[in-house]
Amino acid sequence: MARAASESPPPLAVDPVPYAVLSHCYEPGDILFVDLNSISAASSGKGIAKLRDACRVAKSWGLDWLWVDTVCTDRRSSAEQSEAVLASFRWLRDCQVCIVYLGDVSQAKEDVHGQLRLSRWMQRCWTLQELIAPQNVQFYDQQWTLIGTKKSLLPLLSEITSIDIAILEDAGSLPDFSVGQKMSWAACRKASTIEDQAYSLLGIFDVSMPVLYGEGPKAFIRLEEEIMKDTDDLTLLAWQANTSQQYRGLLATSPSEFAHFTALQATRPLRIRGPRKQEAENLRPTQGRLQDFR
């Protein structure tokens, strides 16, 4: 975790120290963990300016520590990268504030809300959990001028992302929404690697599985299999194929196949219940149909 203050680090303690998280889209020149091997290289360019401004915001919250994924995670280590992926939702949920830097938005230009709609940050897969998990989120433009908070921008953020306001207000209500609806929030988001389409949703669905970069589309299938172990919500199977392939397996191949759920937002979250696990063990054919245990 990056130090936002100049004092010496405190002694190790059982209780975690309060911290902020920087959420941003990677840009050429941003500092990575490997750049820390060369202080001269890391301390020049616009990447260090972004870190300094983020640290300044963290200090304004009275915080001495700032988590920046690209700086604090050594991506050369598969074990460290796996830990960061699996723990990221919890780290976001537990932070005091999530600082969102929007390098493609400027309040010096007209129609800031229109710029927000088109911002890369609104289209990336990992920023979905960075919007949902933290209680306090602050949005800054490219000049580090405050645009607003998640609370003040609530209706606009819900409209842009198709995420129900109840979720943006409280991530604790995630279990109340169907699998299909949650998948639809990621349907149009872009990922740098195909595996991240799945890994970025682990926290949203509160599941855990091995992180295996290089497995390709199998990552999303494994995600769905883990979800199936933990729910009786059959909207997981209510996907619509994006291809004309005649024969397919039981599961979707990407979040994009749940895009139609964005049109099914209702006052009450849509859920299609299947038989619970204990009931499923007792299912017996009856006159060509399964018994109805509902």
Side-chain angles (χ1 to χ4, degrees), residues 128-197:
L128 175 61
Q129 65 173 8
E130 292 164 7
L131 175 63
I132 290 176
Q135 184 65 36
N136 296 310
V137 182
Q138 291 193 321
F139 293 88
Y140 292 84
D141 71 0
Q142 60 187 217
Q143 289 84 29
W144 283 95
T145 302
L146 181 65
I147 299 172
T149 66
K150 179 163 73 168
K151 183 177 181 179
S152 68
L153 297 170
L154 207 54
L156 177 64
L157 292 172
S158 178
E159 180 186 342
I160 293 173
T161 63
S162 298
I163 301 173
D164 195 282
I165 285 180
I167 292 291
L168 297 179
E169 289 179 322
D170 179 16
S173 60
L174 275 169
D176 297 333
F177 286 76
S178 73
V179 171
Q181 284 174 304
K182 286 183 278 192
M183 286 290 190
S184 73
W185 303 336
C188 298
R189 291 179 176 261
K190 301 175 183 177
S192 299
T193 68
I194 193 169
E195 295 88 354
D196 281 341
Q197 290 182 334

Side-chain angles (χ1 to χ4, degrees), residues 1 10 13 15-19 65 96:
M1 199 175 293
D15 296 329
V17 296
Y19 60 93
W65 295 94
Q96 271 57 52

Side-chain angles (χ1 to χ4, degrees), residues 234 274-286 289-294:
L234 296 183
R276 296 189 179 276
K277 294 178 181 178
Q278 186 60 43
E279 295 168 341
E281 295 176 0
N282 298 321
L283 286 176
R284 295 290 186 273
T286 302
R289 296 183 301 174
L290 292 178
Q291 292 179 359
D292 186 359
F293 285 87
R294 297 184 63 181

Side-chain angles (χ1 to χ4, degrees), residues 137-280:
V137 182
Q138 291 193 321
F139 293 88
Y140 292 84
D141 71 0
Q142 60 187 217
Q143 289 84 29
W144 283 95
T145 302
L146 181 65
I147 299 172
T149 66
K150 179 163 73 168
K151 183 177 181 179
S152 68
L153 297 170
L154 207 54
L156 177 64
L157 292 172
S158 178
E159 180 186 342
I160 293 173
T161 63
S162 298
I163 301 173
D164 195 282
I165 285 180
I167 292 291
L168 297 179
E169 289 179 322
D170 179 16
S173 60
L174 275 169
D176 297 333
F177 286 76
S178 73
V179 171
Q181 284 174 304
K182 286 183 278 192
M183 286 290 190
S184 73
W185 303 336
C188 298
R189 291 179 176 261
K190 301 175 183 177
S192 299
T193 68
I194 193 169
E195 295 88 354
D196 281 341
Q197 290 182 334
Y199 300 156
S200 61
L201 294 173
L202 292 174
I204 300 292
F205 288 100
D206 193 21
V207 297
S208 180
M209 68 184 197
V211 176
L212 305 170
Y213 281 102
E215 66 175 323
K218 291 181 181 179
F220 191 73
I221 300 297
R222 287 199 299 120
L223 170 66
E224 293 174 290
E225 290 172 346
E226 291 300 321
I227 294 172
M228 287 181 70
K229 296 176 184 178
D230 213 32
T231 184
D232 60 352
D233 179 4
L234 296 183
T235 61
L236 174 63
L237 308 178
W239 48 272
Q240 293 182 356
N242 292 329
T243 68
S244 58
Q245 183 178 351
Q246 185 173 3
Y247 298 106
R248 286 277 302 272
L250 180 66
L251 301 173
T253 57
S254 79
S256 64
E257 297 190 319
F258 291 89
H260 59 288
F261 273 89
T262 58
L264 299 177
Q265 301 293 340
T267 304
R268 296 183 62 187
L270 173 68
R271 301 178 71 86
I272 302 175
R273 296 289 189 182
R276 296 189 179 276
K277 294 178 181 178
Q278 186 60 43
E279 295 168 341

Side-chain angles (χ1 to χ4, degrees), residues 42-58:
S43 58
S44 61
K46 68 176 184 179
I48 190 64
K50 182 190 289 187
L51 288 183
R52 286 172 175 162
D53 284 322
C55 287
R56 174 179 53 80
V57 174

